[in-house]
């Protein structure tokens, strides 16, 4: 299993705010502690980050630099643990994107999750931080497993990860509040 605690040593103290090397690895804790897809994380704009609310969170939504996979993918996700730290660091970087190292090279094109995935997978492998067959996407799967392990209700897990709803009834009402999602996420922080 990927250990973020071990991986953290790979970027803490590397570079300074706005430095390419440091910002390249900031998405790792966000990805691990949110259950979000890598493309959702690297496509975050600073305006998608809310740090001054009772529950700090990110807003994952469609915009010109990022697509989302499904309607259920559009959501608010509480920031806990290393994800909150990474958001605070990302807010210090230059530009509108939280992780400018993955900004598109051409104007008006979406972030390139494939190249980000390749770079992060290489770094994880080069530093022996993943096992055989594990990739950056394994972080997302690990979040789902950790939510199961603490017996989080399936609709809470779906809301956190932006997974498709299990039934029509799951789409009724306003869903769980950020405080409820945060409570379950705090139980799975590594």
């Amino acid at each position: 299993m990927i250990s973020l605690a071990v991986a953290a040593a790979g970027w803490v103290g590397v570079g300074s705010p706005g430095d390419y090397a440091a910002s390249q690895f900031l998405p790792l804790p966000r990805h691990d502690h949110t259950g979000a897809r890598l493309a959702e994380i690297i496509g975050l704009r600073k305006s998608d980050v809310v740090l001054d609310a009772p529950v700090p969170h990110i807003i994952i939504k469609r915009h010109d630099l990022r697509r989302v996979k499904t309607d259920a993918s559009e959501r608010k996700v509480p920031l806990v643990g290393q994800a909150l730290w990474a958001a605070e660091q990302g807010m210090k970087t230059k530009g509108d994107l939280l992780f400018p190292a993955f900004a598109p090279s051409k104007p008006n094109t979406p972030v390139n999750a494939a190249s980000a995935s390749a770079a992060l997978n290489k770094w994880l492998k080069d530093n022996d931080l993943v096992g055989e067959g594990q990739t950056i996407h394994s972080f997302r799967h690990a979040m789902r497993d950790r939510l199961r392990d603490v017996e989080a209700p399936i609709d809470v897990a779906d809301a956190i990860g932006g997974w498709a709803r299990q039934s029509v009834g799951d789409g009724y009402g306003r869903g769980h509040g950020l405080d409820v999602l945060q409570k379950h996420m705090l139980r799975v922080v590594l």
Side-chain angles (χ1 to χ4, degrees):
M1 176 166 203
I2 296 171
S3 170
L4 185 61
V6 174
W11 67 79
V12 172
V14 176
S16 58
D19 178 55
Y20 178 81
S23 65
Q24 191 172 15
F25 299 105
L26 285 173
L28 284 172
R30 295 295 299 279
H31 189 56
D32 183 47
H33 281 219
T34 62
R37 295 170 184 91
L38 182 60
E40 294 170 343
I41 294 298
I42 65 168
L44 284 170
R45 292 179 169 163
K46 291 178 181 173
S47 60
D48 297 329
V49 179
V50 182
L51 296 176
D52 59 354
V55 177
H57 61 280
I58 55 175
I59 302 166
I60 298 174
K61 61 185 176 186
R62 289 176 176 87
H63 60 66
D64 59 333
L65 296 179
R66 181 194 49 227
R67 300 178 189 103
V68 294
K69 188 172 180 179
T70 67
D71 288 343
S73 299
E74 292 197 7
R75 63 200 184 280
K76 294 179 181 178
V77 182
L79 293 170
V80 298
Q82 292 288 330
L84 179 56
W85 171 83
E88 293 167 344
Q89 302 313 304
M91 293 300 278
K92 298 174 188 175
T93 61
K94 297 175 184 171
D96 293 332
L97 285 176
L98 199 62
F99 303 113
F102 299 106
S105 56
K106 297 178 184 174
N108 302 318
T109 59
V111 293
N112 188 339
S115 60
S117 178
L120 293 169
N121 282 328
K122 180 180 182 329
W123 183 82
L124 289 168
K125 288 177 185 165
D126 289 352
N127 290 281
D128 296 320
L129 297 172
V130 290
E132 186 65 33
Q134 291 182 317
T135 66
I136 189 71
H137 197 70
S138 299
F139 283 109
R140 181 166 160 77
H141 297 173
M143 172 58 91
R144 185 67 178 219
D145 286 340
R146 293 195 321 262
L147 289 166
R148 283 187 192 110
D149 289 347
V150 299
E151 300 176 347
I154 194 164
D155 58 327
V156 167
D158 289 346
I160 291 168
W163 286 285
R165 295 179 177 94
Q166 304 299 313
S167 75
V168 173
D170 289 342
Y172 296 156
R174 59 177 176 78
H176 294 288
L178 283 170
D179 57 329
V180 173
L181 302 180
Q182 181 188 47
K183 177 180 81 171
H184 290 282
M185 291 179 76
L186 286 170
R187 296 172 62 204
V188 301
V189 170
L190 298 175

